[in-house]
């Protein structure tokens, strides 16, 4: 509580003052060891403050009619950076050279991250043409391996290749539709007989049905992407009736979890519709990834070649990425477990990077703990107390976790005195923590928001459980104090000047008693507030809103300090780093952005998701962030270099909640399908599935020691799961990592420790206090 | 299943006629078929796209219901200006109309008088958001407090108690299906499996969960406190305890204890003739019945004997000549009737069994007067049909018996009192029924021949009952009714005509009126100026579902009954109200007396905002069946909404006798808020009686 010495009246709107209010934070970024400034490689999507004139780092990799958000310096109007803040951006680009410039394209199914295929290719066209010729030659002679290798090497501009390839193919049979539609879609132009499409599809289906049982499951994954692309081709070529017929005849074959996408596609009936449709663009611009064993792949190839089924073959070549692995074909269950993503499964390479999932070393703090503690609890047996203390302090701070990132991998703010005091408090509380387990379930204290009229959209608790923030659909953010201590704001400037700065209780004196009340309302947003997050030191609050901004509020003055503009579309979620200073936000524009509080522009832009980024969370060591998306995938991003290091598929619906285990090794995620999935971050593997909820899981939280996972859902229940049991003896050998032969035990019922129903209150916020009492929150919803 | 749903979605296109209508509405007269076709395709696609985007907002808003605001946001996302004026959460202001072979949904634009709006008092400010904490679980156990849902919902209790087999049924069906599949897939393997499965099936059938309910310490304390308070001496405590029993959601577990407590208590106190305790115990039964989270069926075997004991026991108090044990019998009889109504099914046959029991002991000559009284009371409470078929048939015999006691040689004082009570009881219950089954010329002589000793007295009672019914009919029938929509008041004023004209409904600009029961004959002028408000839907109870819409709202109803038939059938009026205007009305009754309804007159007024998502409030107003004249003969009992009902008489009233036309009465009914759910109120409304 020793911070904020400045007169807070000055902290009105300008971000500059926010920067000034945390001088220690700003100095951190200066302390980075600065290597030679390498010119920033273009595709790295994290250009913080470089005033790039081109809108190159736009998240949507292809030109689409929807206006893409341009994070250029130009649009940053109202709380505009005052000139005084100009020195601070200069600090940030220095972080850039820290990155490894070696990566010149992002792993992940989004090709052509930089330039759209439209304007760029003309100068290098001849080269491409040759390349294409070679490719076609190889293809014609069935030199698959060679072709693949060549393809891989030319992978950089693959989608470009594809479109050119198509274009080249078309040039012979002159295409009519070429000029007037965007070149992205042109790949679909085809003069094939529309009535044959059904035959193509039934042919493939028939082949798969007659294939060996071992291959059947793997090959049937092919049906969905082929179906979609055949349909899109029909639509594109204006065979409306055939397209509709085709769709209705075969859409029933597709798996249930694709229905959302199919529903979008079903609406399409005109070529014109395709241009603005994001789902279509996703299908076109990103390859659908299938993991198939070599045997199955050979079988498929043979079939397609025998039948001279060029249509299917073209689709497989152009729109699918078949990740072939050596080994046993997977069973239907194994495939089912990881399928469901909008663009298929993750490529194996995508999850190969090493992730430092360990925790950072706790700073050593002198503990005046013993005396105080003994005073308080002298009667209650000393030996008991000593033991847990050793656990909590010794285990974490003394030994360095082998999986932890280097301490200074990313710059972190220095600890202030108040933070140290807080740490001491945490440790003290930790000694009193209840040891949870299947026999000792936590009590749940439920905070019901009454009279919210269905308007509660986000909830957050402070780590010490003293404050609750609620975001509401009426654009307000409200902060409640749940302890007897009331919320007070700081006095005005004139009153502050009268205070004796030397007095001992100056921190108490600056507070204005007259403003004390149980809750404060923060007004400023222009749309529903979808995310709230307290800073770890409880001095700030972040809120993200439909109006496209993230706002930083001071909890000393209860005013808005900065409005961070960058997402031009609704911002679905935001969260502070566990060390403060950094925060992450994600929104409808399909990117997640990493910010620091004292810069008005993001430091990193994480782009790659194919649909809205619905929730964002920091890893406990602050070196990684995880994002969940409406494309049904989860991605883990490295804060240091902006790379996507994990792509996790397996959810069958948009993801709405994410949480890391306290040890940083596991991740739990909840989605609209009501399932909770557990992931091993180190291996990038799905390790568990918790079934039980019947509606969207909006809240997830691990207990302080990680023994219990609590989940809250729209179905009005809080459930508790035994994670100790879920994580014991996992099969995380390299084989399953490599091939994705995942066998999940179906033991949700055994793992479910308790289910508690509310009267009519969806659970949207959960929090474990430092002593492992579970707090839950939601708005009462009268039926 | 999902596929079928999707199929439907993807096929759906707006009809081309819509395009034409919309084009016409903005002044484009001729639109070619092709244009319409391509327009509908485009528009349908865009709307679908919008809906899909709006869905995202719904998910992030953490709601289950798509709102108009979501659509607005989705429009904003597409850079389209949102549609303003659709910000109500629930109420979609579209109206349906048909005519000229077209069916239309249109947006109703009312003409609003500004002065009206200005003069209307501001609605209450909605309550602000607040935070309330409670324990959802304490170390893994969910406490049974009002904030938490009841441990076993009433539905489940009902299913468990009435159909114990049904609980397992879904599982069986699945098993059956699995069986079928097993056979289909692997025929050779199938038989062995089947055997096992059928065995399993049998096992499941026999298994009945045998759980011992252990009450927690808190529950034990609660039980102790409650039972002590219920039979203790402090009336305030008792009221509190009964209130707790009637409302607390967590009593499911304690129900067996309570029912045993009551049945044992009755057993002991009947022997000791402790009237006060018996009354307390019956009040406990009443409270248990009132608790909406409890389903008593499982415990009726203990409760019914206790209640019946309190009805028919030979002696319930120490001084039968002085103490008013009759009241306890009446009260218990009403309880019994309520039990029959709530729990009687074709399987348990409670009502017929109870009826038989009562009849049997009534028929016995040796039955003492106290028991006789109880039997009659018990039967009488079961409804008019029972009175008609069982009691009235025996009036003559019973009258004779009474006469021997009252007029014959003095036997004992107690017998005399008993006979006296039985007599008044019979008269009280039979009069309304007789009034209904006999046509008016009430002649002492004919009554005497029909009903024997009790005839003349019955005759006077019947006359009184008729008079009262007629008076109330007069009061309301001769009214002009004005409904003003935006105002939360309703005025009913009596028109000055005294003549009994056939009823009339005057509707300013009426569309078809499918109300057969309301015969229009002569318009009468509204005595009150009616402001231009909206319209309403009217339902007559006889035709049930007929409803009418009127663009103009003024409704004048003036009707009077045929003089020969005091009608008792209820009429139902539905009046639309927007959600913010909680208010409704009271109307009259139709002219054709069709049913025999239990009490002399029912006025049922339903107010509802029209449209599918609206809430409905049902108010039931019942006239008191007693014929004693009073200035406010209407008591109201309203299901769960608690409206404020005032009956204001502006001029001098003519209380008991037939009405002179000069009285004017304003009945003002207003509801504080429209937040009550439809189901609740409509369920309750018809069942509530005002307990006297």
């Amino acid at each position: 509580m020793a911070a904020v010495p400045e007169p807070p009246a000055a902290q009105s709107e300008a971000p500059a003052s926010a920067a000034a209010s945390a001088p220690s934070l700003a100095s951190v970024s200066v302390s980075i060891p600065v290597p030679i400034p390498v010119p920033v490689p273009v595709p790295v999507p994290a250009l913080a403050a470089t005033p790039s004139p081109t809108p190159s780092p736009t998240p949507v990799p292809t030109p689409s009619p929807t206006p893409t958000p341009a994070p250029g310096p130009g649009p940053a109007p109202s709380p505009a950076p005052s000139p005084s803040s100009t020195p601070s951006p200069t600090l940030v680009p220095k972080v850039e050279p820290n990155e490894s410039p070696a990566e010149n394209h992002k792993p992940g199914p989004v090709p052509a991250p930089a330039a759209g295929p439209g304007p760029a290719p003309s100068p290098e066209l001849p080269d491409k043409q040759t390349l294409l010729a070679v490719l076609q030659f190889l293809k014609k002679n069935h030199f698959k391996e060679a072709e693949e290798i060549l393809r891989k090497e030319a992978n950089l501009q693959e989608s470009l290749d594809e479109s050119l390839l198509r274009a080249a193919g078309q040039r012979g049979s002159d295409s009519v539709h070429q000029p007037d539609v965007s070149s992205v879609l042109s790949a679909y132009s085809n003069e094939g007989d529309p009535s044959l499409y059904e035959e193509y599809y039934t042919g493939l289906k028939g082949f798969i049905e007659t294939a060996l049982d071992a291959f059947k499951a793997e090959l049937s994954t092919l049906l969905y992407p082929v179906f979609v692309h055949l349909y899109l081709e029909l639509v594109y070529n204006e065979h409306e009736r055939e397209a509709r017929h085709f769709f209705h005849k075969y859409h029933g074959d597709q798996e249930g979890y694709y229905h959302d996408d199919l529903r979008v596609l079903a609406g399409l009936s005109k070529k014109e519709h395709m241009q603005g449709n994001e789902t279509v663009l996703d299908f076109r611009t990103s390859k659908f990834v299938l993991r198939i064993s070599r045997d199955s792949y050979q079988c498929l190839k043979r079939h397609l070649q025998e039948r001279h089924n060029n249509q299917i073959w073209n689709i497989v070549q152009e729109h699918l990425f078949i990740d072939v692995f050596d080994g046993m074909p997977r069973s239907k269950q194994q495939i089912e477990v990881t399928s469901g993503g909008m663009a298929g499964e993750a490529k194996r390479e995508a999850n190969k990077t090493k992730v430092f999932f360990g925790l950072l070393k706790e700073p050593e703090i002198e503990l005046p703990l013993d005396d105080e503690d003994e005073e308080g609890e002298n009667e209650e047996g000393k030996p008991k107390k000593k033991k847990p203390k050793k656990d909590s302090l010794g285990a974490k701070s003394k030994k360095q976790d082998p999986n932890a990132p280097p301490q200074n991998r990313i710059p972190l703010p220095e600890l202030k005195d108040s933070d140290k005091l807080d740490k001491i408090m945490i440790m003290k509380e930790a000694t009193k923590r209840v040891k949870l387990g299947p026999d000792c379930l936590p009590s749940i204290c439920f905070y019901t928001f009454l009279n919210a009229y269905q308007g509660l959209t986000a909830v957050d608790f402070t780590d010490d459980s003293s404050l609750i923030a609620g975001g509401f659909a009426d654009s307000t953010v409200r902060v409640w104090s749940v302890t007897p201590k009331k919320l007070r704001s700081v006095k005005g400037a004139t009153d502050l000047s009268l205070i004796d700065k030397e007095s001992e209780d100056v921190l108490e004196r600056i507070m204005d008693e007259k403003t004390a009340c149980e809750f404060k309302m923060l007004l400023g947003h222009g749309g529903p507030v979808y995310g709230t997050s307290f800073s770890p030191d409880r001095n700030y609050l972040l809120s993200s809103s439909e109006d496209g901004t993230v706002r930083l509020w001071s909890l000393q003055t209860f005013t808005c300090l900065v409005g961070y503009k960058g997402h031009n579309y609704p911002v679905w979620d935001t969260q502070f780093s566990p060390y403060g200073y950094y925060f992450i936000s994600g929104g409808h524009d399909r990117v997640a952005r990493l910010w620091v509080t004292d810069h008005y522009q993001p430091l990193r832009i994480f782009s790659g998701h194919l649909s809205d980024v619905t929730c964002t969370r920091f890893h406990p060591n602050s070196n990684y962030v995880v994002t969940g998306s409406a494309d049904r995938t989860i991605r883990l991003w490295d804060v240091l270099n902006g790379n996507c290091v994990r792509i996790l598929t397996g959810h069958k619906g948009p993801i709405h909640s994410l949480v890391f285990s306290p040890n940083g090794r596991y991740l739990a995620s909840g989605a609209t399908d009501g399932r909770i999935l557990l992931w091993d971050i180190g291996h990038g593997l799905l390790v568990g599935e918790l079934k039980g909820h019947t509606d969207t899981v909006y809240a997830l939280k691990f207990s302080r020691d990680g023994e219990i996972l609590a989940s809250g859902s729209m179905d009005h229940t809080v459930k508790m799961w035994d994670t100790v049991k879920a994580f014991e003896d996992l099969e995380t050998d390299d084989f399953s990592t490599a091939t994705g032969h995942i066998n999940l035990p179906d033991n949700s019922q055994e793992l479910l420790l308790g289910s508690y129903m509310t009267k009519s209150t969806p659970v949207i916020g959960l929090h474990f206090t430092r002593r492992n009492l579970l707090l839950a929150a939601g708005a009462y919803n009268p039926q | 299943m999902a596929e079928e749903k999707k199929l439907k979605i993807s096929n759906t296109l707006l009809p081309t006629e819509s395009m034409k209508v919309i084009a016409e509405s903005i002044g484009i007269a001729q639109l070619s078929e092709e244009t319409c076709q391509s327009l509908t395709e485009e528009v349908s696609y865009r709307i679908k796209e919008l809906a899909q985007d709006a869905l995202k907002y719904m998910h992030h808003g953490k709601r289950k219901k798509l709102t108009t605001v979501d659509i607005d946001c989705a429009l904003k996302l597409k850079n389209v200006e949102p549609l303003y004026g659709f910000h109500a959460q629930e109420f979609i202001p579209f109206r349906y109309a048909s005519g000229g072979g077209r069916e239309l949904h249109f947006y109703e634009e009312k003409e609003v008088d500004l002065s009206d709006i200005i003069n209307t008092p501001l609605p209450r400010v909605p309550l602000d958001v607040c935070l309330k904490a409670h324990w959802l679980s304490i170390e893994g156990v969910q406490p049974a407090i009002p904030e938490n849902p009841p441990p076993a919902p009433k539905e489940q209790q009902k299913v468990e108690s009435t159909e114990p087999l049904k609980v397992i049924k879904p599982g069986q069906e699945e098993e059956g299906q699995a069986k079928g599949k097993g056979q289909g897939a692997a025929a050779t393997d199938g038989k062995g499996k089947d055997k096992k499965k059928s065995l399993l099936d049998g096992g499941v059938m026999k298994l009945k969960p045998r759980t011992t309910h252990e009450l927690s310490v808190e529950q034990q304390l609660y039980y102790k406190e409650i039972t002590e308070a219920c039979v203790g001496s402090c009336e305030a405590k008792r009221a509190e305890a009964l209130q707790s029993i009637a409302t607390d959601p967590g009593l499911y577990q304690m129900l067996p204890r309570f029912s045993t407590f009551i049945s044992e208590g009755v057993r002991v106190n009947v022997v000791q003739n402790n009237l006060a305790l018996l009354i307390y115990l019956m009040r406990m039964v009443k409270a248990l019945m009132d608790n909406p989270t409890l389903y008593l069926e499982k415990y009726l075997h203990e409760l019914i004997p206790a209640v019946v004991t309190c009805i028919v026991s030979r002696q319930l108090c120490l001084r039968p000549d002085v103490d008013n044990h009759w009241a306890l019998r009446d009260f218990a009889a009403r309880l019994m009737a309520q039990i029959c109504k709530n729990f009687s099914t074709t399987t348990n046959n409670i009502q017929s069994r109870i009826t038989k029991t009562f009849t049997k002991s009534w028929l016995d000559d040796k039955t003492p007067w106290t028991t006789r009284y109880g039997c009659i009371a018990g039967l009488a409470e079961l409804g008019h049909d029972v009175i008609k078929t069982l009691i009235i048939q025996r009036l003559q015999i019973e009258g004779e018996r009474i006469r021997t006691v009252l007029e014959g040689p003095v036997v004992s004082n107690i017998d005399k009192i008993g006979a006296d009570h039985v007599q008044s009881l019979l008269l009280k219950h039979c009069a309304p029924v007789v009034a209904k089954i006999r046509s008016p010329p009430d002649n002492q002589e004919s009554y005497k021949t029909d009903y024997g000793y009790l005839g003349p007295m019955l005759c006077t009672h019947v006359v009184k009952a008729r008079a009262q019914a007629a008076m109330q009919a007069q009061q309301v029938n001769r009214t002009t009714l004005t409904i003003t929509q935006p105002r939360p008041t309703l005025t009913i004023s009596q028109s000055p005509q005294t003549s009994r004209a056939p009823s009339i409904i005057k509707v300013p600009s009426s569309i078809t009126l499918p109300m057969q029961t309301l015969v229009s004959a002569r318009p009468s002028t509204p005595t009150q100026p009616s402001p231009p408000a909206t319209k309403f839907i009217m339902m007559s109870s006889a035709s049930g579902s007929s409803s009418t819409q009127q663009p103009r709202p003024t409704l004048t109803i003036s009707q009077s009954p045929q003089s020969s038939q005091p009608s008792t059938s209820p009429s139902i009026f539905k009046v639309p109200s927007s959600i913010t205007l909680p208010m409704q009305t009271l109307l009259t009754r139709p002219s054709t007396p069709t049913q025999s309804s239990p009490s002399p007159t029912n006025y049922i007024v339903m107010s509802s905002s029209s449209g599918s998502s609206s809430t409905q409030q049902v108010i039931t107003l019942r006239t008191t069946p007693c014929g004693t004249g009073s200035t406010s003969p209407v008591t109201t009992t309203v299901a769960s909404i608690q409206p404020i009902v005032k009956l204001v008489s502006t001029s001098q009233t003519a209380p008991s006798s037939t009405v002179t036309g000069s009285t004017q009465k304003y009945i003002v009914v207003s509801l504080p808020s429209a937040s009550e759910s439809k189901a609740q109120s409509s369920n309750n409304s018809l069942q509530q009686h005002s307990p006297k």
Side-chain angles (χ1 to χ4, degrees), chain B residues 154-211:
Chain B
K154 196 173 179 180
E155 285 306 304
Q156 188 193 327
Q157 290 177 38
K158 186 173 180 177
V159 169
E160 270 174 15
S161 55
T162 53
E163 288 156 290
L165 292 181
K166 216 171 197 175
V167 186
I168 330 162
K169 262 188 181 161
Q172 286 174 325
E173 276 163 19
E174 271 168 40
E175 294 256 326
Q177 277 178 2
K179 246 189 272 176
K181 273 182 194 167
Q183 280 172 340
T188 48
D189 227 36
K191 279 179 187 170
K193 268 186 194 167
D194 274 4
K195 261 186 191 169
K196 269 185 203 165
K197 284 223 172 100
S198 59
L199 269 179
L200 261 179
D201 278 3
V204 173
M205 294 274 283
K206 276 171 204 162
L207 275 181
K208 230 187 158 185
R210 268 167 176 277
T211 46

Side-chain angles (χ1 to χ4, degrees), chain A residues 395-598:
Chain A
K396 273 180 193 163
S397 55
K398 301 283 151 51
K399 269 180 268 164
Q400 168 72 31
D401 192 331
N403 291 311
Q407 200 71 14
N408 54 356
R409 189 162 176 268
I410 63 159
L412 291 172
E414 268 171 23
L415 282 182
K416 287 177 289 187
D417 287 349
S418 61
D419 296 335
K420 284 179 185 159
L421 278 175
D422 213 39
K423 284 260 190 279
I424 291 168
M425 274 304 292
I426 293 176
M427 285 172 193
K428 261 200 242 173
E429 295 263 349
T431 61
K432 296 175 189 163
R433 184 178 297 162
V434 183
K435 187 85 184 145
L436 296 178
D439 303 323
C440 183
L441 294 175
S443 300
I444 308 172
C445 179
F446 202 99
Y447 287 97
T448 311
F449 289 78
L450 298 172
N451 312 320
Y453 309 109
Q454 298 216 330
L456 182 73
T457 44
V459 169
D460 194 35
F461 296 84
T462 52
D463 186 68
D464 69 347
S465 319
S466 63
L467 304 176
I468 294 183
F472 289 85
D474 61 0
S475 318
T476 58
V477 180
R478 291 161 202 247
V479 182
W480 276 267
S481 166
V482 293
T483 57
K485 203 177 148 194
K486 298 203 164 163
L487 298 173
R488 296 169 303 175
S489 47
V490 176
K491 288 177 182 167
T494 44
D495 290 337
L496 282 176
S497 62
L498 300 175
I499 292 173
D500 175 15
K501 292 181 189 62
E502 302 305 316
S503 75
E504 276 187 9
D505 58 345
V506 66
L507 287 178
E508 192 58 31
R509 285 192 186 192
I510 59 170
M511 303 314 256
D512 189 355
E513 268 322 307
K514 275 177 287 181
T515 61
C517 61
E518 273 171 18
F519 91 97
K520 297 268 185 191
M521 189 147 72
L522 306 175
L523 294 168
H525 277 297
V529 178
Y530 290 119
T532 52
S533 175
F534 282 106
S535 72
D537 60 3
R538 295 187 299 283
N539 282 330
Y540 304 102
L541 174 72
L542 278 174
S543 63
S544 71
S545 160
E546 188 265 347
D547 62 10
T549 62
V550 179
R551 278 177 187 267
L552 182 73
W553 309 84
S554 163
L555 296 185
Q556 303 283 342
T557 60
F558 293 98
T559 52
C560 182
L561 300 177
V562 200
Y564 300 96
K565 304 196 170 185
H567 295 280
N568 286 341
Y569 289 106
V571 189
W572 297 131
D573 200 7
T574 186
Q575 202 211 7
F576 254 113
S577 148
Y579 293 87
Y581 188 53
Y582 296 101
F583 65 92
I584 177 91
S585 67
H588 176 73
D589 56 5
R590 303 173 171 206
V591 295
R593 286 162 204 250
L594 179 83
W595 313 72
V596 288
T597 46
D598 52 2

Side-chain angles (χ1 to χ4, degrees), chain B residues 380-637:
Chain B
E381 289 293 342
L382 290 175
H384 280 196
D385 284 342
V386 178
I387 294 175
K388 202 164 102 186
T389 52
L390 291 174
I391 299 182
I392 290 183
Q393 307 303 327
R394 282 184 57 85
L395 269 182
Q396 210 155 3
I397 307 164
E398 201 60 30
E400 203 50 40
R401 200 191 312 262
I402 291 169
R403 194 177 62 85
T404 51
V405 175
L406 290 182
E407 292 176 0
V410 176
V411 192
S412 79
N413 194 26
I414 291 175
D415 275 356
K416 202 163 179 203
I417 294 171
D420 206 33
H421 270 98
V422 169
Q423 181 183 326
S424 54
L425 178 78
L426 284 170
L427 291 175
K428 187 178 100 187
H429 283 295
C430 292
V433 182
V434 172
K436 215 177 297 161
I437 55 176
R438 284 181 79 102
S439 45
D442 294 323
N443 176 323
Q444 299 258 355
E445 287 312 306
S446 69
Y447 271 70
K448 182 146 177 111
T449 50
D450 283 352
Y451 304 117
Y453 170 71
L454 291 173
M457 278 177 282
L458 189 61
C459 182
T460 44
H461 271 82
V462 169
V463 170
K464 253 189 221 168
R466 277 197 219 285
Q468 205 209 353
M471 179 190 76
Q472 271 142 24
Q474 274 295 325
Q475 282 172 353
V476 190
N477 279 336
R478 314 289 311 118
T479 55
T480 307
L481 177 71
T482 315
I483 304 172
T484 60
Q485 235 270 309
R487 297 291 191 152
T489 51
L490 165 79
T491 317
I492 300 175
S493 63
Q494 203 165 6
S495 70
Q497 292 100 325
T498 46
S499 67
R500 298 192 159 179
S503 66
I504 149 120
I505 273 202
K506 187 191 162 214
V507 181
S509 65
S510 67
I511 313 178
T512 47
L513 282 176
M515 277 172 286
Q516 297 88 346
T517 48
L518 302 169
V519 188
S520 119
R522 188 167 63 90
S524 78
T525 44
T527 54
Q528 301 259 321
S530 49
T534 48
K535 62 189 181 213
F536 55 86
I537 300 163
M538 225 196 234
M539 278 169 62
S540 73
S541 65
S543 57
S545 60
S546 63
S547 71
T548 314
Q549 288 200 344
Q550 291 149 313
R552 296 253 321 152
T554 332
L555 167 74
T556 314
I557 297 173
S558 132
Q559 81 183 98
S560 47
Q562 272 78 13
S563 56
S564 61
Q565 302 259 355
S567 79
T568 49
S569 54
S571 45
I572 299 172
F573 287 82
K574 279 175 79 183
V575 184
S577 72
S578 75
I579 292 169
T580 49
L581 291 173
M583 140 54 230
Q584 278 346 301
T585 38
L586 165 69
L587 288 184
T588 123
R589 52 180 152 165
S591 53
T592 43
T594 47
Q595 307 121 312
S596 61
S597 65
S599 56
T601 322
N602 293 342
Y603 302 103
I604 300 165
V605 180
M606 293 169 61
S607 81
S608 81
S609 59
S610 59
S612 57
S613 67
S614 64
T615 55
Q616 281 195 338
Q617 303 126 24
V618 181
I619 310 166
T620 313
L621 303 181
R622 265 168 205 263
T623 53
T624 45
C626 58
T628 52
S630 75
T631 41
S632 68
V634 180
T635 57
T636 59
T637 308

Side-chain angles (χ1 to χ4, degrees), chain B residues 260-412:
Chain B
T260 312
F261 176 81
I262 290 166
S263 78
E264 289 296 314
V266 168
R267 195 173 303 180
V268 170
N269 288 300
V270 159
V271 175
Q272 297 180 348
N273 293 325
N274 195 335
L275 180 65
L277 279 180
L278 288 173
I279 292 174
Y280 299 153
L281 290 169
M282 285 303 107
R283 286 171 71 183
M284 272 182 86
V285 176
K286 174 94 170 80
L288 284 173
M289 301 252 322
D290 286 347
N291 191 321
T293 61
L294 295 179
Y295 193 73
L296 298 179
E297 149 93 39
K298 263 195 224 171
Y299 308 99
L300 289 181
H301 65 280
E302 286 188 314
L303 294 178
I304 289 183
V307 175
V308 172
T309 304
C310 288
I311 300 175
V312 299
S313 175
R314 184 188 301 260
Q315 194 178 353
L316 288 170
C317 50
L318 288 173
R319 297 163 300 167
D321 47 341
V322 186
D323 290 334
N324 187 5
H325 58 97
W326 313 105
L328 172 61
R329 292 176 201 274
D330 284 337
F331 182 71
R334 272 199 294 277
L335 267 183
M336 195 60 235
Q338 203 184 336
I339 290 175
C340 287
K341 201 165 169 191
N342 290 358
F343 301 105
S344 185
T345 60
T346 46
T347 31
N348 62 21
N349 255 338
I350 291 176
Q351 174 146 2
S352 68
R353 283 156 66 190
I354 290 292
T355 315
K356 260 182 215 151
T357 315
F358 284 146
T359 323
K360 208 176 139 208
S361 61
W362 185 27
L363 292 183
D364 193 344
D365 273 346
K366 286 172 202 130
T367 313
W369 284 106
T370 44
T371 307
R372 200 169 285 279
Y373 179 93
C375 292
I376 298 171
L379 287 171
E381 289 293 342
L382 290 175
H384 280 196
D385 284 342
V386 178
I387 294 175
K388 202 164 102 186
T389 52
L390 291 174
I391 299 182
I392 290 183
Q393 307 303 327
R394 282 184 57 85
L395 269 182
Q396 210 155 3
I397 307 164
E398 201 60 30
E400 203 50 40
R401 200 191 312 262
I402 291 169
R403 194 177 62 85
T404 51
V405 175
L406 290 182
E407 292 176 0
V410 176
V411 192
S412 79

